[in-house]
Amino acid sequence: MSDARRVYRRIKTSLTQLYPHQLNGHQARHLHTLTGMISGIVLNKKCHFEAMARKAPDQTKVESRVKRFRRCVQNEQVNQETYFLPFAEMLLASLGSTGPLVLAMDGSEVGRHCLALMVSVIYQKRALPVAWVVVEGSKGHFPEQTHLELLDQVQAMVPSDTDVIFVGDGEFDGQQLQAAITAAGWHYACRTAHNRWLCEADTWFQLNELWLQPGDQIILSEVLFTQQAYGPVLVVAYWEPGYKDPLYLVSNFALGSEAIYWYRHRFRIETFFSDQKSRGFQ
C-alpha cells in the first residue's frame, strides 16, 4: 500500500470514529471529500486546491478532484457548525483533560484582501484554530465587540471544569474582554501599550514613565487599568536583554512570573500564520 493510501485510511478511520451513527450515502460522499482534502494537505503541506488534489489518493483526474473540493467549500450546507465544531469540541475536551488549555486570540491578513480574527488552542509547538471570523479588508483591528462574540463561541465549546489560560497581543487588552474572561473563571495574560494609564495608591501614571532599562522587571499588583479604572489587575513591565523594546502585560494572575510564562505561548500562533502564508492558505 502506498504512503498516500495509508495516510488516507488513517485519516478516514479517525474521522469516522467521531460520527455518532452510521453514515448515509450523502454523508459518506462528504466524508470521502473531506478525507481527500485533509490527506492532500498533510502529504503536500500546502492548502491550494490544486496542491491538495495532486496528493489526494483517488482514481479520478486531478482536475476533477479540484472541482469536487471547490464544490465542497462553496456548498452552503457544508458549514463550520456541522463539519468543524464537533471536531474542535472534542479536541478542546481532550487537551483540557490533561492540563491547562491555552487559548490564543490573534488577527492577520488571509486569503485575498481579507482579515481573520482567530482563536487557537496551543498544542506542543503549534497553534490549532478552533474558532474564527473573516471580513473583507487589508489592515486594521477588529472592534472589541467582535472579540467578545468570538470569545462566547469558544467558551461554549470548552467544558465548564477546564482550566483555561487566554493570551493575546496589545489588541486584546480591552476592559470588557478582560472582564468577560475573568467572569468565565479563566486566567489571562495580554500585552498592553506603553502609554496605558495606571493608578497605584491613588497616583496616576503611564507605563512608559517607569523608564525601564534592559534587564529590568517591575511587577505592579492591585493596580487600576486605564482611565476607566478597571481592576484591580496585575501589570508586568519587563525588558529582556537583547530585545529592542520592553514588554508590558496586563493579567489576572497572582504572580508576574506566571503572566510572563504563559504569555510566551502566544507566539505559537505566529507560526500558524507564517505557515499558511508559506503554504498558500486560501
Side-chain angles (χ1 to χ4, degrees):
M1 182 186 299
S2 67
D3 288 342
R5 283 288 177 186
R6 190 175 294 108
V7 169
Y8 177 89
R9 290 188 62 177
R10 290 182 63 181
I11 292 173
K12 185 175 182 180
T13 299
S14 297
L15 292 177
T16 303
Q17 292 174 349
L18 298 177
Y19 283 87
H21 53 75
Q22 184 70 29
L23 301 181
N24 59 35
H26 186 64
Q27 293 169 333
R29 287 194 300 274
H30 277 305
L31 177 63
H32 174 70
T33 300
L34 178 62
T35 305
M37 294 174 70
I38 296 174
S39 300
I41 293 172
V42 170
L43 292 166
N44 209 6
K45 296 182 173 58
K46 293 183 179 179
C47 299
H48 286 303
F49 289 125
E50 293 80 2
M52 286 188 279
R54 284 196 297 270
K55 287 292 185 177
D58 199 307
Q59 299 300 317
T60 61
K61 294 182 179 180
V62 172
E63 293 78 9
S64 298
R65 295 178 222 167
V66 170
K67 290 180 181 179
R68 188 168 74 247
F69 294 166
R70 289 188 185 278
R71 286 198 302 269
C72 178
V73 172
Q74 294 171 357
N75 187 341
E76 293 183 356
Q77 295 182 347
V78 178
N79 53 43
Q80 180 181 355
E81 290 75 13
T82 303
Y83 284 85
F84 182 81
L85 289 186
F87 303 118
E89 290 174 351
M90 295 194 68
L91 173 67
L92 293 175
S94 176
L95 295 180
S97 66
T98 60
L101 198 65
V102 183
L103 301 176
M105 183 178 285
D106 204 359
S108 180
E109 296 180 25
V110 295
R112 298 176 177 85
H113 310 296
C114 290
L115 291 172
L117 180 66
M118 182 177 296
V119 174
S120 299
V121 58
I122 306 301
Y123 174 65
Q124 295 185 0
K125 295 184 178 182
R126 280 292 182 268
L128 309 176
V130 294
W132 60 85
V133 60
V134 178
V135 299
E136 292 185 358
S138 57
K139 58 180 62 177
H141 290 167
F142 285 81
E144 189 174 16
Q145 183 58 39
T146 305
H147 302 166
L148 294 168
E149 292 170 358
L150 194 59
L151 182 71
D152 285 342
Q153 290 184 35
V154 177
Q155 187 178 352
M157 299 162 58
V158 176
S160 58
D161 58 347
T162 305
D163 185 11
V164 179
I165 297 165
F166 177 98
V167 293
D169 64 16
E171 181 183 350
F172 308 106
D173 67 348
Q175 293 95 303
Q176 293 182 65
L177 184 60
Q178 292 183 58
I181 295 169
T182 301
W186 299 356
H187 285 98
Y188 67 87
C190 294
R191 190 168 183 173
T192 192
H194 66 88
N195 58 352
R196 285 297 196 185
W197 284 92
L198 303 179
C199 181
E200 183 181 40
D202 296 325
T203 300
W204 286 93
F205 61 94
Q206 288 181 295
L207 272 169
N208 52 20
E209 294 177 30
L210 296 174
W211 300 108
L212 291 181
Q213 298 298 316
D216 287 350
Q217 178 175 295
I218 298 176
I219 309 297
L220 302 172
S221 302
E222 301 289 314
V223 296
L224 300 180
F225 183 74
T226 75
Q227 291 174 308
Q228 282 70 44
Y230 174 77
V233 297
L234 174 81
V235 172
V236 180
Y238 70 105
W239 193 340
E240 290 187 321
Y243 284 80
K244 181 180 179 181
D245 298 303
L247 194 65
Y248 305 100
L249 303 178
V250 59
S251 175
N252 63 352
F253 277 109
L255 300 176
S257 58
E258 289 183 297
I260 294 172
Y261 173 79
W262 289 111
Y263 176 76
R264 285 177 173 147
H265 289 68
R266 192 204 76 80
F267 298 104
R268 303 300 187 193
I269 202 168
E270 302 293 348
T271 305
F272 171 82
F273 284 122
S274 63
D275 282 349
Q276 305 321 306
K277 290 175 182 177
S278 65
R279 295 175 185 178
F281 179 75
Q282 60 180 37

